[in-house]
């Protein structure tokens, strides 16, 4: 983490030296929900409901991870692949931490759901799951915002996602993760040998399904023309879709699907391709980050903050300027005529202190006069010593964000206790109880020399 921070700082300095061409941040930030839990909401905690949805007389197993908070919440319906060995539950949990409900179903005839599995049935199941979420009684019970239902799916589930979104305008958007163009396989069956090869390819995946490979290949031969991905994706029209392809699997095919869908009317498709396999085995964090960033458009609360510009006029109404002027409260641990140190209201660890210059109007480290910076750093050192002594620390971290990752446009150094073995994430943390902040501030204050 620290290494990453140092690398980031070096990149920034190089970018600044190289001029505007390199000044744009190239790496999108990892959303907080990918790496950090939320505090428990005691009135409306995150929860999980397991139930069955009746689809044409068959009971289909469903799980709904409900988001914390009163809601109503935007809701992601997730549709698994063929047969669904890769469950993508990590993605659903991350999406839920971002403030979304996340529901998954097992299609009819899969993984213990009643009925028979077929491509056609799975399309009906996906549509029925959307209708279930949009049903006012279910939406009220599970705090679903029916105007913000997004469908996502992996592999076969990506196809089913396009199918459900095409069929139902209530679907606000679609996420296709290395989506399979099911119908395209029809063209590969040209004689008895290729037919048998298609059957043999499906056989290892059918044990969790109430289906035979022979039956599925027969369905493909019969209905393959209705199982093409691009025409379904095109039906989304202006509704947003995110296509995430795996370069080592269906990514190249996905590129062609997107091209065809755009030509046929899909005008809001975002594409991204990751250098990984069909299960995103080594790109889980990247996958979660891509999905959550894209979902931000439906929920401004979960959208990542744009970086502060590196160059701009100083804004005297920023919160730290107000603290300096005594217009806003702070739990102070140290103050002299030049520098102020106070508790971070949302600590990464208890004892997290911020150190700021009271006299400099620097927004970031590129702005500050080195003499002012030296005064700030001298207090950073004092605070570090005091934290070690007062809190019995084995170590601490000094960190400072410029532009990306920065939320307050007044230069500030973070002095953050570290706990051996505990990873540190650069994420927005939950606000601490003021009583705890004052108690810790008192300990550090007493240890300041
Ligand atoms: P950065 O993201 O590096 O700009 O850090 C800004 C820090 O300021 C965050 O860790 C916030 O939790 C903290 N912060 C924001 N407002 C206040 C405040 N009124 N009092 C104390 N800390 C604050």
């Amino acid at each position: 983490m620290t290494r990453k921070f140092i690398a980031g700082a070096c990149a920034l300095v190089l970018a600044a030296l190289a001029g505007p061409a390199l000044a744009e941040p190239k790496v999108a930030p990892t959303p907080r929900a990918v790496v950090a839990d939320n505090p428990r909401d005691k009135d409306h905690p995150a929860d999980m409901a397991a139930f069955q949805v009746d689809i044409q007389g068959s009971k289909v197993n469903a799980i709904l991870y409900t988001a914390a908070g009163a809601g109503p919440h935007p809701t992601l319906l997730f549709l698994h692949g063929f047969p669904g060995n890769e469950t993508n539950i990590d993605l659903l949990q991350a999406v839920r931490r971002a403030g979304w409900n996340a529901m998954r179903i097992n299609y009819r005839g899969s993984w213990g759901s009643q009925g028979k599995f077929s491509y056609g049935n799975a399309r009906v199941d996906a549509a029925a799951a959307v209708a279930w979420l949009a049903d006012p009684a279910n939406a009220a019970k599970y705090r679903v915002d029916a105007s913000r239902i997004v469908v996502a799916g992996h592999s076969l589930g990506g196809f089913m996602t396009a199918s459900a979104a095409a069929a139902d305008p209530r679907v606000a958007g679609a996420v296709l993760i290395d989506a399979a163009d099911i119908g395209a396989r029809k063209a590969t069956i040209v004689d008895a040998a290729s037919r048998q090869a298609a059957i043999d390819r499906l056989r290892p995946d059918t044990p969790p399904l109430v289906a035979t490979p022979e039956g599925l290949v027969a369905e493909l031969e019969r209905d393959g023309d209705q199982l093409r991905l691009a025409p379904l994706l095109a039906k989304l029209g202006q509704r947003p879709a995110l296509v995430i392809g795996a370069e080592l699997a269906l990514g190249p095919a996905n590129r062609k699907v997107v091209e065809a869908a755009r030509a046929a009317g899909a005008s809001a498709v975002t594409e991204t391709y990751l250098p990984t396999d069909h299960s995103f085995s080594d790109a889980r964090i990247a996958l979660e980050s891509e999905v959550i960033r894209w979902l931000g458009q439906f929920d401004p609360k979960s959208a990542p903050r744009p970086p502060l510009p590196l160059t701009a006029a100083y804004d005297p109404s920023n919160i730290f300027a107000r603290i300096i002027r005594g217009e806003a409260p702070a739990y102070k641990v140290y103050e002299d005529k030049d520098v102020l140190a106070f508790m971070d209201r949302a600590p990464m660890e208890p004892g997290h202190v911020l150190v700021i210059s009271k006299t400099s109007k620097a927004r970031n480290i590129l702005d500050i006069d080195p003499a002012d910076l030296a005064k700030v750093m001298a207090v950073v050192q004092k605070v570090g010593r005091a934290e070690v002594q007062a809190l019995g620390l084995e170590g601490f971290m000094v960190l400072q964000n410029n532009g990306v990752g920065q939320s307050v446009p007044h230069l500030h150094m973070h002095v953050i206790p570290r706990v051996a073995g505990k990873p540190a994430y650069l994420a927005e943390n939950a606000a601490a109880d003021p009583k705890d902040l004052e108690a810790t501030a008192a300990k550090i204050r007493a240890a300041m020399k």
Side-chain angles (χ1 to χ4, degrees):
M1 216 296 305
T2 309
R3 232 182 259 148
K4 225 199 286 168
F5 170 69
I6 291 168
C10 292
L12 194 63
V13 170
L14 289 177
L17 292 177
L22 281 180
E24 280 292 297
K26 293 289 182 287
V27 181
T30 301
R32 178 188 190 280
V34 173
V35 295
D37 280 322
N38 297 315
R40 185 170 173 81
D41 180 322
K42 65 177 176 8
D43 298 324
H44 302 98
D47 204 351
M48 188 177 89
F51 51 90
Q52 295 177 311
V53 179
D54 194 300
I55 303 178
Q56 297 181 344
S58 296
K59 300 235 179 304
V60 159
N61 297 329
I63 302 281
L64 181 57
Y65 297 102
T66 50
H73 301 286
T75 299
L76 185 79
L77 170 66
F78 187 83
L79 301 167
H80 65 71
F82 181 92
N85 294 331
E86 176 52 72
T87 57
N88 289 286
I89 304 268
D90 57 333
L91 173 62
L92 301 199
Q93 294 282 3
V95 164
R96 189 251 295 266
R97 287 193 295 274
W100 289 64
N101 297 315
M103 172 168 163
R104 68 188 301 270
I105 60 160
N106 293 119
Y107 311 109
R108 269 178 289 171
S110 80
W111 304 97
S113 285
Q114 293 178 346
K116 288 202 165 49
F117 176 86
S118 70
Y119 302 123
N121 279 358
R123 293 183 72 176
V124 173
D125 301 345
V130 172
W132 188 92
L133 278 171
D135 178 275
N138 296 328
K141 181 169 178 190
Y142 294 105
R143 307 198 297 266
V144 170
D145 178 350
S147 71
R148 289 184 295 165
I149 295 172
V150 170
V151 185
H154 175 225
S155 193
L156 167 99
F159 173 86
M160 296 303 161
T161 294
S163 168
D168 193 333
R170 290 175 298 186
V171 175
V175 181
L176 280 62
I177 303 170
D178 220 31
D181 186 0
I182 306 293
R185 295 177 192 164
K186 179 179 176 183
T188 66
I189 304 171
V190 292
D191 55 18
S194 52
R195 186 169 199 279
Q196 190 56 47
I199 290 169
D200 292 344
R201 268 198 304 278
L202 291 182
R203 196 175 305 285
D205 278 339
T206 46
L209 305 176
V210 182
T212 62
E214 291 81 0
L216 291 171
V217 167
E219 183 183 3
L220 189 57
E221 288 174 316
R222 190 185 65 233
D223 298 336
D225 297 341
Q226 281 89 60
L227 297 172
R228 296 306 305 264
L229 183 54
L232 293 173
L233 184 55
K235 287 210 175 113
L236 266 81
Q238 294 175 355
R239 282 178 289 161
L242 172 64
V243 170
I244 307 181
E247 291 288 15
L248 307 182
L250 302 180
N254 280 189
R255 281 194 173 85
K256 293 191 183 128
V257 166
V258 171
E259 200 183 326
R262 283 202 180 112
S267 61
V269 181
T270 304
E271 294 167 88
T272 182
Y273 297 91
L274 298 174
T276 188
D277 67 4
H278 187 51
S279 293
F280 293 70
S281 301
D282 41 21
R284 303 301 309 175
I285 299 296
L287 174 65
E288 292 162 23
S289 300
E290 292 291 351
V291 172
I292 289 173
R293 276 197 292 269
W294 182 85
L295 287 175
Q297 69 190 291
F298 299 98
D299 183 17
K301 283 200 303 300
S302 73
R305 243 192 343 247
L308 292 179
L310 282 172
T311 314
Y314 182 80
D315 172 7
S317 70
N318 78 74
I319 181 65
F320 294 171
R322 294 179 55 225
I323 287 174
I324 293 167
R325 293 195 297 266
E327 295 165 10
Y331 298 94
K332 298 182 182 178
V333 299
Y334 175 88
E335 184 164 18
D336 61 28
K337 70 179 184 13
D338 299 311
V339 181
L340 172 64
F342 57 100
M343 304 306 292
D344 192 304
R345 62 189 276 280
M348 194 183 278
E349 286 293 338
H352 180 164
V353 169
L354 301 171
V355 184
I356 61 176
S357 168
K358 288 166 63 179
T359 53
S360 165
K361 299 282 179 282
R363 301 171 77 254
N364 57 46
I365 205 160
L366 302 176
D367 290 349
I368 194 165
D369 185 304
D372 291 331
L373 183 60
K375 288 178 186 160
V376 170
M377 291 311 289
V379 174
V380 164
Q381 188 185 44
K382 278 186 212 284
V383 169
R385 275 203 196 102
E387 283 186 1
V388 167
Q389 190 192 319
L391 307 176
L393 301 182
E394 286 183 296
F396 64 96
M397 166 166 85
V398 175
L399 185 146
Q400 189 264 327
N401 292 310
N402 300 282
V404 176
Q406 184 178 2
S407 56
V408 180
H410 179 111
L411 171 84
H412 49 283
M413 306 294 305
H414 297 256
V415 187
I416 308 172
R418 290 297 309 274
V419 177
K422 186 172 174 189
Y425 295 119
L426 282 177
E428 206 172 287
N429 298 291
D433 185 326
K435 284 201 295 298
D436 295 338
L437 288 178
E438 178 43 34
T440 314
K443 284 189 203 166
I444 299 173
R445 222 168 19 236
M448 288 292 293
K449 300 201 170 65

